[in-house]
Amino acid sequence: MSKSLTVLTPAETVACCSPLSREPLSRPQAEQVAPLLKALADPVRLRLMSLVASHEGGEACVCDLNDAFDLSQPTISHHLKVLHQAGLLDRSKRGVWVYYRARTEALTDLGALIGNPSA
Amino acid sequence: MSKSLTVLTPAETVACCSPLSREPLSRPQAEQVAPLLKALADPVRLRLMSLVASHEGGEACVCDLNDAFDLSQPTISHHLKVLHQAGLLDRSKRGVWVYYRARTEALTDLGALIGNPSA
DNA sequence: CATCAATATTGACAGACGTCGATGCGTCGT
DNA sequence: ACGACGCATCGACGTCTGTCAATATTGATG
């Protein structure tokens, strides 16, 4: 898969928008932000994100994550891929194990876009 | 449709959760928050929310909103209903016109849940 | 009351989404 | 080299979602 230098993940484009209540979002802006929210808009992915983000070092092993759900391993893998492709999780393989790390700046930017009444 | 006294909209249940990075979201919590994000996770609804929230008085008439999109009137009506049922928009009918008002506390709570690194 | 204008509801349809079982692919012990 | 394990990918399935045209509903107006 191509990972060209100039390609930004959805999460990396969010910091540029002022909050929802500040001024109307343009159509292109909305189309950039929506996929990020879509990635979070699932109970399983929300818990995954929260598990990773709140884990020691902001990092968690897939092996731990699988056990926290009653879902099949491919399903968890799918959800992690969605979060990763949205730019909300970083992936790093160490030996046999794969670790996912939360992109806290992405979460911060997104939270500010949605909820920040000032700024 | 029933609007019993004890029924809370999804948006009204969010303030109770600590932020994603603070501690793992429980399954019930995730299932309460996800519908809210789902309601926002659409480019049209994001722009609608932003248009209403940034409008003078935090309120906008449907007639104005329709013109901001290339979509049919029923489609806009549908999206507004989704946002309203999620508890992100308040609806008030005045004469023939319907006005939607943004629930800024809901947005603030949701933003804090997603992005607030402290709190 | 008849009509018109502003929104909402309904029914239909194509496409997206969440889930699973089966399978593939690296990596570590033995 | 081989087998076992951790994780990803594939293909398939049912369900949910965004959109529209058609129609209903509600309120103002003549």
Side-chain angles (χ1 to χ4, degrees), chain B residues 80-97:
Chain B
L80 288 170
K81 183 181 184 181
V82 171
L83 289 168
H84 174 57
Q85 288 183 333
L88 292 170
L89 287 181
D90 273 342
R91 208 185 93 105
S92 75
K93 188 168 187 176
R94 295 206 283 274
V96 188
W97 290 274

Side-chain angles (χ1 to χ4, degrees), chain A residues 23 101 105 118:
Chain A
E23 61 180 346
R101 172 180 297 273
E105 3 86 53
S118 50

Side-chain angles (χ1 to χ4, degrees), chain B residues 59-66 91-100:
Chain B
E59 194 178 58
C61 177
V62 174
C63 51
D64 297 331
L65 299 174
N66 276 320
R91 208 185 93 105
S92 75
K93 188 168 187 176
R94 295 206 283 274
V96 188
W97 290 274
V98 173
Y99 294 83
Y100 283 92

Side-chain angles (χ1 to χ4, degrees), chain B residues 30-116:
Chain B
E31 285 166 355
Q32 281 183 342
V33 176
L36 255 172
L37 288 166
K38 228 171 212 175
L40 275 182
D42 177 275
V44 175
R45 289 198 288 268
L46 256 186
R47 285 185 64 205
L48 278 172
M49 199 65 203
S50 179
L51 279 169
V52 174
S54 66
H55 198 268
E56 163 198 325
E59 194 178 58
C61 177
V62 174
C63 51
D64 297 331
L65 299 174
N66 276 320
D67 299 345
F69 298 86
D70 282 342
L71 297 169
S72 71
Q73 174 266 320
T75 297
I76 300 298
S77 187
H78 161 68
H79 286 306
L80 288 170
K81 183 181 184 181
V82 171
L83 289 168
H84 174 57
Q85 288 183 333
L88 292 170
L89 287 181
D90 273 342
R91 208 185 93 105
S92 75
K93 188 168 187 176
R94 295 206 283 274
V96 188
W97 290 274
V98 173
Y99 294 83
Y100 283 92
R101 173 180 296 273
R103 287 208 163 185
T104 47
E105 3 86 54
L107 284 177
T108 306
D109 291 345
L110 188 57
L113 174 67
I114 293 178
N116 204 331

Side-chain angles (χ1 to χ4, degrees), chain A residues 42 45 71-72 74-75 78-79 95-96:
Chain A
D42 178 277
R45 290 198 289 268
L71 297 169
S72 71
T75 297
H78 162 69
H79 286 305
V96 186

